[in-house]
Amino acid sequence: MVRFRLTSLGMVLLLAACGAQPNSSTASTAAPEEAVTITFWHGQSGVLGQRLQALVDQFNSTHKIHVNASFEGSYTSGQLQQKIVAAIQAGTPPDLAQVPGPADAAQFVKANAVTPVQQFVDSPDGFSASQLKDFYGPFLDDNRLVVKGKKELVSWPLSKSVSVLYYNPTIVQQAGVSSPPRTWDQFQQDLLAVKRSTSAVPLEWTPDLYYFWAAYMRGNGGDILSGSLDKAAFNNDKGIAALQYEANLVLSDKTAVVTKGFDWQNDFANGKVAYSVSTSVSLPYIEQAMPASGKFQIGEASLPAGSVKAGNTLFGNNLLIFNKAPQNHQRAAWLFMKWLTDTDQTVAWALASGYLPLRTSGLNSPTYQQKVAADPRLSVPLAAVSSGAEGVQASADWNKIQPILNDMVIAALAGRKTPQQAVSDAADKVNTILSGY
Amino acid sequence: MPTKRLRRPLLYVTMTVAGVLMAFPFVWMVLTSLKSESEATIFPPHLLPQSWLFGNYLQAWRSAPFARYFVNSGIIAIGQTALGLSTSALAAYALARMRVPGKRVIFGILIATLMIPPEATLIPNYITIQRLHWYDTYFALIIPFGASVLSIFLLRQAFLQVPHELYEAAVLDGCSHARYLAQIVLPLSRSAVAVVGLLTFIRGWNDFQWPLIVTSSESVRPVQVGLSIFQSDVSTQFQLLMAGTMMAVIPILLLFLIAQRQLVQGISRAGLR
Amino acid sequence: MRPVAGAAPLEAVSPPEPIRPASPKARRRREALEGYLFLCPALVIIGLFYVYPALYSFYVSLFRWEVVQEAFVGLRNYAHLLHDPDFGHSMLLSIVYVAGSVPIEIAIGLALALLLHQGLRARAFFRLLYFLPYITSQVALSLVWGWIFNAQYGVANAVLRLVHLPPQGWLLANNGASSVWQVASGGHLHAPDAAPPSLALASIMLVTVWFYVGFHTVVYLSGLSAIPTEVTEAARIDGAAGFSLFRYITFPLLTPTTYFLLIIATIGAMTSFNIVYILGGGGVQAGCGGNPLETTKVAALFIFDRFWCQTELGYASAAAFVLSLVILALTVLNVRAVGRRVAFAD
């Protein structure tokens, strides 16, 4: 389903190289680069892996530092974590690795295996406060964890995406809906309208705690864990209402159909579905799955808002430096990370991968603006980010909590438990885990 | 007897039905490897490709250094098979025919190791590999699988079937255990040896997880790891993945065709008496 | 009459003392040393890469060990396991999985081997066909099966449609396999029935059987070919034919093979991971723990989840150890059932 040609990355890189100077947006580095070779483990296979490697090659050819990047297992299926955990056990972690999110970073921090990047950000190699503002706040927040009592930047963002609402404009118009729903209630009405006036499936998606229980709950001011990350905070009317909403769509309104994995994409691409919820990265893949005869322009919008905000969720992956690496390796890793997220590179990676540019200067760069002009949908995810998107809470126990919450959602959607019961059961389990057994 | 006349055709029919059931997903795989990207995932699914894109194979081959990967797979599989057969045959013979004190205990421990789930062995083996400085080398890929309890088990069963009178006769001729094993027992157990060799090779050829764990460089990675080039976070290029998988299967198919004869060769006992 | 070469070996007779001038004691010692020498290479490798990890694993299981070693907790992980309903459920699913797939695998494998042994034409071709699944990468084939069973665009449902049967959720279906004729309505998820296996697990069992049948066929063929023709000829002369030939001669002579396959297949199924992970596992959204409602979370998936997704190495190691003990128990059962007529040692 991937259609990006390597040539388009080549063109983008060319443009980037001919464009602004590489380090124009940062302060001059204190000390010159040392020529070291560092190891970088990542979980990008396939086409994304090739594109990442292209960026790495570009770095290697323009710097004294040499980065040995290798694919070490998919980061979405646990393979990369497997290798990192094993390496930590053996005392031989790489210098730098890609990690899924704050939860995994939290685990490695707890294991005392990580050098938080804050020290590099604060060093002459880093950023001034105003320079740091160039990055989208939520992306950096996603990488802040409490270390020794202080909240600081532990990992550094690399790829970021956000949950969005996709819709089929033709079907939606047929149902008399003129614009994407601003609120959840509006969304429910729109789905019913689609069911009444068309033969399409109003909503088809693969649900889990993110799509969209957490979004609904956070949109109304609730959250999953308490601020101190030691208690469940969803066992209240906000959490129950969020679950009840979804359950209603599936079980009583019967406007929603549940699928597994990426299965909804095919139905959506074949024009059978009005709405779906997924990440901003999915867009090109849905487009590729469209049959030649039935192509249409997919609509993209932020998730509906609750009373407080639209509770969009951040996804993607981050970069992490291990403290077993020698000091000069660590610094080299930081310099590489910094380069990789510099304006031109973040634009190149965003355009090549479907993830979002990490900085406002990236959004505003001529290259990206050109793309936005050609396809205004590209600005939707970033707008969603700015309106208050959050990633998962950085609890080291998150990987244990996530399946419980997923089961809770599925149990309610399958009608096996009432939302109240499901939430209560889940909260009990979560609290047991958080208290340490 | 009338039933006898029905028997043959019935057998053929059964074999064919079984063959279709066994081969069907495989056929699907082959056909998918010749489809275009969107055709591969269309619904309702088409059986035959609209246009037969044999170029998919070329594209798959070019997507990654598959020549190197195939060489590596070969080295790994052949290494494991050669090493595995040697160590297992020796051990199986000792357990079957030699008087070794503590034999039963040893055999029991070996069987016990079969029951350890692979998850539990991953980390300690990784640590061992690192300590031996074998990370990212062929040693790490071959040696850990250079002995297999399964092989020992199977070969031991086969060796036990070789009649003991042969040994007595050999001893009278001044034969040592080693010679007896090499010149009498092994040839008589050809079928079992072929099975063990084939199964070891297949396991080594198709292994994905261990090579991924103990290597980082393309220069030692096998084909199975290389096939991950067709899958990324958000999508899978099914048609290329199937083409790549087909390419990976062909060497094993050839090996099986060659080994088949050994597998089913009956042993005529007439010459032994 | 001497025991026939191909018969299931009874307690083997120890060879008579050779006519040699060397003292029997010295000779025995020499043989023992030689025996150890023969065993050495295999034992070193197995000791290093199987026995040591098992011991290390047990060591880890005695600690609270998430990513790094923390406090010593003795057998607390094990106690926790015994009270963990998820683990109990996983073990149950594993046993269902084994009971449902292993006997069928072996039976079909034997049947196919017998078919191939009949000397029919084109048997080499069919031999290849039956063995094809086993030699192909499990990952790729599981993906194909995932496709076939896809509730929306899979071939399985397309076939059902052809014969006017309602489509099933297959790998998503948590309703019992026995209720396969229930109409799917509304969403694609159903409340699970009381007893496993769910249709999802049953589908995975089907794929497992399909995948491994070739292995059993090949091993049985090897066993069949080891039966000397004189034996079957003698039996035929005595009037045995068809089924009785099978029952009284062939099958008993295959006992060692059956014994071997039963043990290996049981152990394999209990630790089996690849197929179940791809067809019934979660990936990013379900957090690698098994499909929604976890009716496919066999023990191997549970352990994988605890090791790498929830990163509780101590707890996971304990679970792995308990799984080993269960497999040991099952193996002993198998040995008792079939092993009567097979020599375990000289």
Side-chain angles (χ1 to χ4, degrees), chain C residues 26-67:
Chain C
R27 185 158 179 80
R28 259 202 297 276
R29 205 178 316 142
R30 229 187 75 188
E31 185 168 1
L33 274 175
E34 209 182 346
Y36 285 128
L37 201 65
F38 275 31
L39 284 168
C40 213
L43 288 184
V44 164
I45 293 180
I46 292 175
L48 191 57
F49 293 104
Y50 290 91
V51 178
Y52 162 67
L55 297 173
Y56 181 90
S57 232
F58 181 66
Y59 173 74
V60 170
S61 74
L62 298 175
F63 290 81
R64 180 176 162 80
W65 193 313
E66 306 230 317
V67 183

Short mmCIF file of all heavy atoms in Angstrom, two decimals, chain C residues 26-67:
data_model
loop_
_atom_site.label_atom_id
_atom_site.label_comp_id
_atom_site.label_asym_id
_atom_site.label_seq_id
_atom_site.Cartn_x
_atom_site.Cartn_y
_atom_site.Cartn_z
N ALA C 26 38.85 -52.43 32.54
CA ALA C 26 39.54 -51.39 31.78
C ALA C 26 38.77 -51.09 30.49
O ALA C 26 38.66 -49.95 30.05
CB ALA C 26 40.96 -51.84 31.46
N ARG C 27 38.25 -52.17 29.94
CA ARG C 27 37.53 -51.96 28.69
C ARG C 27 36.28 -51.12 28.90
O ARG C 27 35.95 -50.23 28.12
CB ARG C 27 37.16 -53.33 28.10
CG ARG C 27 36.54 -53.17 26.75
CD ARG C 27 36.64 -54.43 25.92
NE ARG C 27 35.99 -54.19 24.64
CZ ARG C 27 36.56 -53.54 23.64
NH1 ARG C 27 37.79 -53.08 23.78
NH2 ARG C 27 35.91 -53.34 22.52
N ARG C 28 35.61 -51.42 30.02
CA ARG C 28 34.40 -50.65 30.30
C ARG C 28 34.73 -49.18 30.54
O ARG C 28 34.02 -48.30 30.11
CB ARG C 28 33.70 -51.22 31.54
CG ARG C 28 32.51 -52.09 31.20
CD ARG C 28 31.56 -52.18 32.35
NE ARG C 28 32.17 -52.82 33.51
CZ ARG C 28 32.22 -54.13 33.68
NH1 ARG C 28 31.71 -54.96 32.78
NH2 ARG C 28 32.78 -54.63 34.76
N ARG C 29 35.85 -48.98 31.24
CA ARG C 29 36.21 -47.59 31.50
C ARG C 29 36.52 -46.86 30.21
O ARG C 29 36.17 -45.71 30.03
CB ARG C 29 37.40 -47.51 32.46
CG ARG C 29 37.41 -46.18 33.23
CD ARG C 29 38.54 -46.08 34.23
NE ARG C 29 38.71 -47.30 34.99
CZ ARG C 29 39.90 -47.76 35.32
NH1 ARG C 29 41.00 -47.14 34.95
NH2 ARG C 29 40.01 -48.88 36.02
N ARG C 30 37.20 -47.58 29.35
CA ARG C 30 37.52 -46.96 28.06
C ARG C 30 36.27 -46.59 27.29
O ARG C 30 36.16 -45.54 26.68
CB ARG C 30 38.39 -47.91 27.24
CG ARG C 30 39.62 -47.22 26.68
CD ARG C 30 40.36 -48.11 25.74
NE ARG C 30 39.66 -48.20 24.46
CZ ARG C 30 40.03 -49.05 23.49
NH1 ARG C 30 41.02 -49.88 23.68
NH2 ARG C 30 39.36 -49.08 22.36
N GLU C 31 35.31 -47.53 27.36
CA GLU C 31 34.09 -47.26 26.62
C GLU C 31 33.35 -46.08 27.21
O GLU C 31 32.79 -45.25 26.50
CB GLU C 31 33.19 -48.50 26.62
CG GLU C 31 31.95 -48.30 25.76
CD GLU C 31 31.20 -49.60 25.53
OE1 GLU C 31 31.65 -50.64 26.07
OE2 GLU C 31 30.19 -49.56 24.83
N ALA C 32 33.36 -46.02 28.55
CA ALA C 32 32.68 -44.90 29.19
C ALA C 32 33.31 -43.58 28.77
O ALA C 32 32.61 -42.62 28.44
CB ALA C 32 32.72 -45.06 30.70
N LEU C 33 34.64 -43.54 28.79
CA LEU C 33 35.32 -42.31 28.40
C LEU C 33 34.98 -41.94 26.96
O LEU C 33 34.70 -40.79 26.64
CB LEU C 33 36.83 -42.48 28.54
CG LEU C 33 37.40 -42.20 29.93
CD1 LEU C 33 38.88 -42.51 29.98
CD2 LEU C 33 37.14 -40.75 30.31
N GLU C 34 35.04 -42.98 26.14
CA GLU C 34 34.73 -42.73 24.73
C GLU C 34 33.30 -42.21 24.59
O GLU C 34 33.03 -41.31 23.80
CB GLU C 34 34.89 -44.05 23.94
CG GLU C 34 35.28 -43.82 22.50
CD GLU C 34 35.39 -45.14 21.73
OE1 GLU C 34 35.42 -46.19 22.39
OE2 GLU C 34 35.41 -45.07 20.50
N GLY C 35 32.41 -42.79 25.40
CA GLY C 35 31.02 -42.36 25.35
C GLY C 35 30.88 -40.89 25.72
O GLY C 35 30.20 -40.12 25.06
N TYR C 36 31.57 -40.51 26.79
CA TYR C 36 31.51 -39.10 27.19
C TYR C 36 32.07 -38.20 26.10
O TYR C 36 31.58 -37.11 25.85
CB TYR C 36 32.27 -38.88 28.50
CG TYR C 36 31.53 -39.38 29.71
CD1 TYR C 36 32.14 -40.24 30.62
CD2 TYR C 36 30.20 -39.03 29.93
CE1 TYR C 36 31.46 -40.70 31.73
CE2 TYR C 36 29.51 -39.50 31.03
CZ TYR C 36 30.14 -40.34 31.93
OH TYR C 36 29.47 -40.82 33.01
N LEU C 37 33.11 -38.69 25.46
CA LEU C 37 33.70 -37.92 24.38
C LEU C 37 32.69 -37.68 23.26
O LEU C 37 32.56 -36.59 22.73
CB LEU C 37 34.92 -38.66 23.84
CG LEU C 37 35.93 -37.79 23.08
CD1 LEU C 37 36.54 -36.79 24.02
CD2 LEU C 37 37.00 -38.66 22.46
N PHE C 38 31.97 -38.76 22.94
CA PHE C 38 30.95 -38.64 21.90
C PHE C 38 29.88 -37.64 22.32
O PHE C 38 29.35 -36.90 21.50
CB PHE C 38 30.28 -40.01 21.67
CG PHE C 38 31.03 -40.89 20.71
CD1 PHE C 38 32.40 -40.81 20.59
CD2 PHE C 38 30.35 -41.80 19.92
CE1 PHE C 38 33.10 -41.62 19.72
CE2 PHE C 38 31.03 -42.62 19.04
CZ PHE C 38 32.40 -42.54 18.94
N LEU C 39 29.56 -37.67 23.60
CA LEU C 39 28.46 -36.81 24.06
C LEU C 39 28.90 -35.36 24.21
O LEU C 39 28.07 -34.46 24.18
CB LEU C 39 27.96 -37.31 25.43
CG LEU C 39 27.08 -38.54 25.41
CD1 LEU C 39 26.91 -39.08 26.82
CD2 LEU C 39 25.73 -38.21 24.82
N CYS C 40 30.20 -35.18 24.34
CA CYS C 40 30.72 -33.86 24.72
C CYS C 40 30.23 -32.69 23.86
O CYS C 40 29.67 -31.74 24.39
CB CYS C 40 32.24 -33.91 24.74
SG CYS C 40 32.91 -32.84 25.99
N PRO C 41 30.46 -32.74 22.55
CA PRO C 41 30.10 -31.54 21.77
C PRO C 41 28.64 -31.15 21.96
O PRO C 41 28.33 -29.98 22.21
CB PRO C 41 30.36 -31.97 20.32
CG PRO C 41 31.19 -33.18 20.39
CD PRO C 41 30.95 -33.83 21.69
N ALA C 42 27.75 -32.14 21.84
CA ALA C 42 26.33 -31.82 21.97
C ALA C 42 26.03 -31.28 23.36
O ALA C 42 25.30 -30.30 23.52
CB ALA C 42 25.49 -33.06 21.69
N LEU C 43 26.62 -31.92 24.37
CA LEU C 43 26.30 -31.49 25.73
C LEU C 43 26.81 -30.09 26.02
O LEU C 43 26.17 -29.32 26.74
CB LEU C 43 26.89 -32.48 26.74
CG LEU C 43 26.18 -33.83 26.82
CD1 LEU C 43 26.77 -34.68 27.92
CD2 LEU C 43 24.69 -33.64 27.05
N VAL C 44 27.96 -29.76 25.46
CA VAL C 44 28.49 -28.41 25.70
C VAL C 44 27.54 -27.37 25.13
O VAL C 44 27.15 -26.41 25.79
CB VAL C 44 29.90 -28.26 25.08
CG1 VAL C 44 30.26 -26.79 24.98
CG2 VAL C 44 30.92 -29.01 25.91
N ILE C 45 27.14 -27.60 23.89
CA ILE C 45 26.26 -26.61 23.25
C ILE C 45 24.92 -26.54 23.96
O ILE C 45 24.42 -25.46 24.27
CB ILE C 45 26.06 -26.97 21.76
CG1 ILE C 45 27.39 -26.80 21.03
CG2 ILE C 45 24.99 -26.09 21.14
CD1 ILE C 45 27.31 -27.12 19.56
N ILE C 46 24.36 -27.72 24.24
CA ILE C 46 23.05 -27.71 24.88
C ILE C 46 23.15 -27.16 26.29
O ILE C 46 22.29 -26.44 26.78
CB ILE C 46 22.44 -29.12 24.88
CG1 ILE C 46 22.11 -29.50 23.43
CG2 ILE C 46 21.20 -29.19 25.74
CD1 ILE C 46 21.61 -30.89 23.26
N GLY C 47 24.25 -27.49 26.96
CA GLY C 47 24.43 -26.98 28.31
C GLY C 47 24.51 -25.47 28.32
O GLY C 47 23.86 -24.79 29.13
N LEU C 48 25.26 -24.93 27.39
CA LEU C 48 25.47 -23.49 27.36
C LEU C 48 24.22 -22.74 26.93
O LEU C 48 23.87 -21.70 27.49
CB LEU C 48 26.64 -23.17 26.42
CG LEU C 48 27.17 -21.75 26.46
CD1 LEU C 48 27.61 -21.38 27.85
CD2 LEU C 48 28.35 -21.61 25.49
N PHE C 49 23.52 -23.27 25.93
CA PHE C 49 22.43 -22.49 25.35
C PHE C 49 21.03 -22.94 25.76
O PHE C 49 20.06 -22.32 25.36
CB PHE C 49 22.55 -22.50 23.82
CG PHE C 49 23.75 -21.76 23.33
CD1 PHE C 49 24.86 -22.45 22.89
CD2 PHE C 49 23.80 -20.38 23.37
CE1 PHE C 49 26.00 -21.77 22.46
CE2 PHE C 49 24.91 -19.69 22.94
CZ PHE C 49 26.02 -20.39 22.49
N TYR C 50 20.94 -24.01 26.54
CA TYR C 50 19.62 -24.41 27.01
C TYR C 50 19.58 -24.57 28.52
O TYR C 50 18.68 -24.07 29.20
CB TYR C 50 19.18 -25.72 26.35
CG TYR C 50 18.88 -25.58 24.88
CD1 TYR C 50 19.88 -25.77 23.93
CD2 TYR C 50 17.62 -25.21 24.45
CE1 TYR C 50 19.60 -25.60 22.59
CE2 TYR C 50 17.35 -25.06 23.11
CZ TYR C 50 18.34 -25.26 22.18
OH TYR C 50 18.09 -25.11 20.85
N VAL C 51 20.57 -25.28 29.06
CA VAL C 51 20.53 -25.55 30.49
C VAL C 51 20.86 -24.30 31.29
O VAL C 51 20.15 -23.92 32.22
CB VAL C 51 21.50 -26.70 30.85
CG1 VAL C 51 21.49 -26.93 32.34
CG2 VAL C 51 21.11 -27.96 30.11
N TYR C 52 21.93 -23.63 30.89
CA TYR C 52 22.30 -22.40 31.59
C TYR C 52 21.17 -21.37 31.56
O TYR C 52 20.81 -20.80 32.60
CB TYR C 52 23.60 -21.83 31.02
CG TYR C 52 23.83 -20.38 31.36
CD1 TYR C 52 24.08 -19.98 32.67
CD2 TYR C 52 23.76 -19.39 30.38
CE1 TYR C 52 24.27 -18.66 32.99
CE2 TYR C 52 23.95 -18.06 30.70
CZ TYR C 52 24.20 -17.69 32.01
OH TYR C 52 24.36 -16.37 32.31
N PRO C 53 20.55 -21.12 30.38
CA PRO C 53 19.43 -20.18 30.38
C PRO C 53 18.29 -20.60 31.28
O PRO C 53 17.65 -19.76 31.91
CB PRO C 53 18.98 -20.17 28.92
CG PRO C 53 20.15 -20.58 28.15
CD PRO C 53 20.88 -21.54 29.01
N ALA C 54 18.04 -21.91 31.35
CA ALA C 54 16.95 -22.35 32.21
C ALA C 54 17.27 -22.00 33.66
O ALA C 54 16.41 -21.50 34.41
CB ALA C 54 16.74 -23.85 32.07
N LEU C 55 18.51 -22.25 34.06
CA LEU C 55 18.90 -21.93 35.44
C LEU C 55 18.86 -20.43 35.68
O LEU C 55 18.38 -19.96 36.71
CB LEU C 55 20.31 -22.48 35.71
CG LEU C 55 20.43 -24.00 35.62
CD1 LEU C 55 21.89 -24.43 35.73
CD2 LEU C 55 19.58 -24.67 36.68
N TYR C 56 19.37 -19.68 34.70
CA TYR C 56 19.36 -18.22 34.82
C TYR C 56 17.94 -17.71 34.95
O TYR C 56 17.64 -16.84 35.75
CB TYR C 56 20.02 -17.62 33.57
CG TYR C 56 20.11 -16.12 33.56
CD1 TYR C 56 21.22 -15.48 34.10
CD2 TYR C 56 19.10 -15.34 33.01
CE1 TYR C 56 21.31 -14.09 34.09
CE2 TYR C 56 19.19 -13.97 32.99
CZ TYR C 56 20.29 -13.35 33.52
OH TYR C 56 20.39 -11.99 33.51
N SER C 57 17.07 -18.29 34.14
CA SER C 57 15.66 -17.89 34.17
C SER C 57 15.07 -18.12 35.55
O SER C 57 14.33 -17.30 36.06
CB SER C 57 14.89 -18.75 33.17
OG SER C 57 14.15 -17.96 32.33
N PHE C 58 15.41 -19.27 36.11
CA PHE C 58 14.87 -19.56 37.44
C PHE C 58 15.39 -18.54 38.43
O PHE C 58 14.65 -18.05 39.29
CB PHE C 58 15.24 -20.98 37.87
CG PHE C 58 14.68 -21.34 39.21
CD1 PHE C 58 13.31 -21.46 39.39
CD2 PHE C 58 15.51 -21.53 40.31
CE1 PHE C 58 12.77 -21.77 40.63
CE2 PHE C 58 14.98 -21.84 41.55
CZ PHE C 58 13.61 -21.95 41.71
N TYR C 59 16.64 -18.20 38.30
CA TYR C 59 17.24 -17.19 39.16
C TYR C 59 16.48 -15.87 39.05
O TYR C 59 16.10 -15.26 40.06
CB TYR C 59 18.71 -17.02 38.77
CG TYR C 59 19.41 -15.90 39.46
CD1 TYR C 59 19.78 -15.99 40.80
CD2 TYR C 59 19.75 -14.73 38.76
CE1 TYR C 59 20.43 -14.95 41.43
CE2 TYR C 59 20.41 -13.69 39.39
CZ TYR C 59 20.76 -13.80 40.73
OH TYR C 59 21.41 -12.77 41.34
N VAL C 60 16.24 -15.45 37.82
CA VAL C 60 15.52 -14.20 37.60
C VAL C 60 14.14 -14.24 38.23
O VAL C 60 13.65 -13.26 38.78
CB VAL C 60 15.41 -13.90 36.09
CG1 VAL C 60 14.46 -12.75 35.83
CG2 VAL C 60 16.76 -13.60 35.50
N SER C 61 13.51 -15.42 38.17
CA SER C 61 12.13 -15.50 38.65
C SER C 61 12.04 -15.33 40.16
O SER C 61 10.96 -15.20 40.71
CB SER C 61 11.52 -16.85 38.25
OG SER C 61 12.06 -17.88 39.04
N LEU C 62 13.19 -15.34 40.83
CA LEU C 62 13.15 -15.19 42.29
C LEU C 62 13.23 -13.74 42.72
O LEU C 62 13.32 -13.44 43.91
CB LEU C 62 14.32 -15.97 42.90
CG LEU C 62 14.30 -17.47 42.67
CD1 LEU C 62 15.56 -18.10 43.22
CD2 LEU C 62 13.07 -18.10 43.29
N PHE C 63 13.25 -12.85 41.75
CA PHE C 63 13.40 -11.44 42.07
C PHE C 63 12.24 -10.65 41.52
O PHE C 63 11.56 -11.06 40.59
CB PHE C 63 14.69 -10.89 41.43
CG PHE C 63 15.93 -11.40 42.07
CD1 PHE C 63 16.42 -12.65 41.70
CD2 PHE C 63 16.61 -10.67 43.01
CE1 PHE C 63 17.57 -13.14 42.28
CE2 PHE C 63 17.77 -11.15 43.59
CZ PHE C 63 18.26 -12.39 43.23
N ARG C 64 12.05 -9.48 42.11
CA ARG C 64 11.21 -8.50 41.44
C ARG C 64 12.13 -7.85 40.41
O ARG C 64 13.06 -7.15 40.76
CB ARG C 64 10.68 -7.46 42.42
CG ARG C 64 9.80 -6.43 41.73
CD ARG C 64 9.21 -5.47 42.75
NE ARG C 64 8.73 -4.28 42.13
CZ ARG C 64 7.56 -4.17 41.50
NH1 ARG C 64 6.75 -5.19 41.43
NH2 ARG C 64 7.20 -3.03 40.95
N TRP C 65 11.89 -8.14 39.16
CA TRP C 65 12.86 -7.77 38.12
C TRP C 65 12.07 -7.20 36.97
O TRP C 65 11.45 -7.93 36.21
CB TRP C 65 13.62 -9.03 37.68
CG TRP C 65 14.84 -8.83 36.86
CD1 TRP C 65 14.98 -8.02 35.77
CD2 TRP C 65 16.10 -9.49 37.03
NE1 TRP C 65 16.24 -8.13 35.26
CE2 TRP C 65 16.95 -9.04 36.01
CE3 TRP C 65 16.59 -10.41 37.94
CZ2 TRP C 65 18.27 -9.46 35.87
CZ3 TRP C 65 17.90 -10.85 37.81
CH2 TRP C 65 18.72 -10.37 36.79
N GLU C 66 12.05 -5.89 36.84
CA GLU C 66 11.33 -5.31 35.72
C GLU C 66 12.30 -5.15 34.57
O GLU C 66 12.48 -6.07 33.79
CB GLU C 66 10.68 -3.99 36.14
CG GLU C 66 9.83 -4.20 37.38
CD GLU C 66 8.45 -3.61 37.24
OE1 GLU C 66 8.35 -2.48 36.73
OE2 GLU C 66 7.49 -4.26 37.65
N VAL C 67 12.95 -4.00 34.44
CA VAL C 67 14.00 -3.97 33.43
C VAL C 67 15.34 -4.35 34.07
O VAL C 67 16.19 -4.97 33.46
CB VAL C 67 14.09 -2.60 32.76
CG1 VAL C 67 15.14 -2.62 31.67
CG2 VAL C 67 12.75 -2.22 32.17
#
